[in-house]
Amino acid sequence: MKNILFLLFLLTTGITFSQVQAAQSLLSGWERVYIKNVGFIDMPRNMEVQAGTYQEIMNNYYNRIEIDAPQLVFQQKGLNNNNSGSYQTYGRVIVQTQIGNYGDFEPLSFNISTVTPAEISELNSNLKQTTISDLQSIGHRLIEWFPLRVRKINGLPCIHVSYKRQLGSNPIVLVNYYIFQNNDRMHGLTLSYRVAETTIWKTDFDRILTSFRITNIK
């Protein structure tokens, strides 16, 4: 999102040293995707890595394939091959990293209890207006905005934004956006799917979220 660097500085936090949770078990048919210089995330069997947005490299030390890209995208399986059936549903998972200077962001672990209601309210208002502007720039409109939360995901503090958006008369899409600060970088995790397809995506997307791990702690 635009201006996110400025908005994040509204948070005044103390440092803690909470432990990141261990990796969850990998379900049958799922794939664990390793992201170079970030960590890893699990992909369900009904999704695929979007072609053209990444480079696969072999990490010989760990004997695994890693994705080398500032942005990784999961999409419904079949889109890479232009399978007509794949257009019947919509689901996206995006992991992106923005690099700054050391100290631009809070450490990966910080004390969320020190964030005041006033700070959360101000950040919520700014991010809402930024989101509205960004959506309008691509022809979308905001349908519903849920109050911003500062919470822990997998043992790590993050800023959680959730809203519903729509393009014209197309189906409404639910978006959950998680911001993780990591000293000289910010990791964003976006999960989105059509509200009408909640029964198709929600369970898998909940597990995708709990699978996300940042192992490159700055």
Side-chain angles (χ1 to χ4, degrees):
M1 288 185 181
K2 295 180 293 185
N3 300 322
I4 193 64
L5 276 170
F6 168 76
L7 296 173
L8 286 172
F9 281 121
L10 297 175
L11 293 176
T12 304
T13 59
I15 302 173
T16 63
F17 298 95
S18 59
Q19 182 70 34
V20 181
Q21 295 177 3
Q24 67 183 12
S25 60
L26 187 63
L27 294 181
S28 176
W30 285 52
E31 181 178 356
R32 182 152 291 160
V33 180
Y34 292 88
I35 312 166
K36 187 179 180 182
N37 296 324
V38 179
F40 58 86
I41 190 170
D42 293 350
M43 182 175 66
R45 65 180 73 197
N46 60 347
M47 303 193 83
E48 65 187 9
V49 175
Q50 187 179 84
T53 63
Y54 69 97
Q55 176 186 6
E56 284 191 2
I57 58 175
M58 183 63 190
N59 187 320
N60 293 317
Y61 182 81
Y62 292 106
N63 190 32
R64 70 191 185 202
I65 296 295
E66 291 184 345
I67 301 298
D68 185 9
Q71 175 171 291
L72 170 69
V73 180
F74 295 167
Q75 62 191 13
Q76 60 268 33
K77 183 165 287 187
L79 282 184
N80 286 336
N81 295 324
N82 202 30
N83 185 323
S84 59
S86 64
Y87 292 93
Q88 301 305 309
T89 61
Y90 173 83
R92 286 292 185 280
V93 177
I94 303 173
V95 181
Q96 55 194 139
T97 298
Q98 177 181 333
I99 306 294
N101 297 312
Y102 196 85
D104 279 351
F105 305 101
E106 293 293 338
L108 190 58
S109 293
F110 65 85
N111 186 353
I112 62 176
S113 67
T114 63
V115 185
T116 68
E119 289 170 332
I120 293 175
S121 177
E122 185 175 2
L123 182 57
N124 178 75
S125 177
N126 286 328
L127 281 176
K128 181 178 180 180
Q129 292 307 312
T130 300
T131 299
I132 291 173
S133 177
D134 287 348
L135 290 176
Q136 289 176 342
S137 71
I138 57 173
H140 290 67
R141 60 192 177 100
L142 181 68
I143 300 298
E144 185 174 5
W145 179 267
F146 301 97
L148 176 146
R149 300 172 60 192
V150 179
R151 55 182 296 203
K152 284 191 175 183
I153 297 292
N154 308 328
L156 295 176
C158 73
I159 299 168
H160 177 199
V161 173
S162 183
Y163 59 90
K164 294 178 182 177
R165 60 172 172 80
Q166 187 177 30
L167 174 63
S169 60
N170 290 341
I172 295 173
V173 172
L174 173 65
V175 180
N176 281 284
Y177 180 48
Y178 304 87
I179 302 167
F180 299 87
Q181 301 180 80
N182 192 7
N183 264 321
D184 69 343
R185 61 198 61 197
M186 180 189 73
H187 307 288
L189 171 60
T190 306
L191 307 173
S192 55
Y193 57 82
R194 292 172 181 161
V195 174
E197 297 168 2
T198 298
T199 56
I200 296 175
W201 297 110
K202 187 179 187 307
T203 299
D204 282 350
F205 272 45
D206 286 348
R207 189 167 184 88
I208 292 171
L209 175 61
T210 59
S211 77
F212 183 55
R213 297 291 186 275
I214 297 170
T215 57
N216 183 26
I217 300 174
K218 304 302 289 184

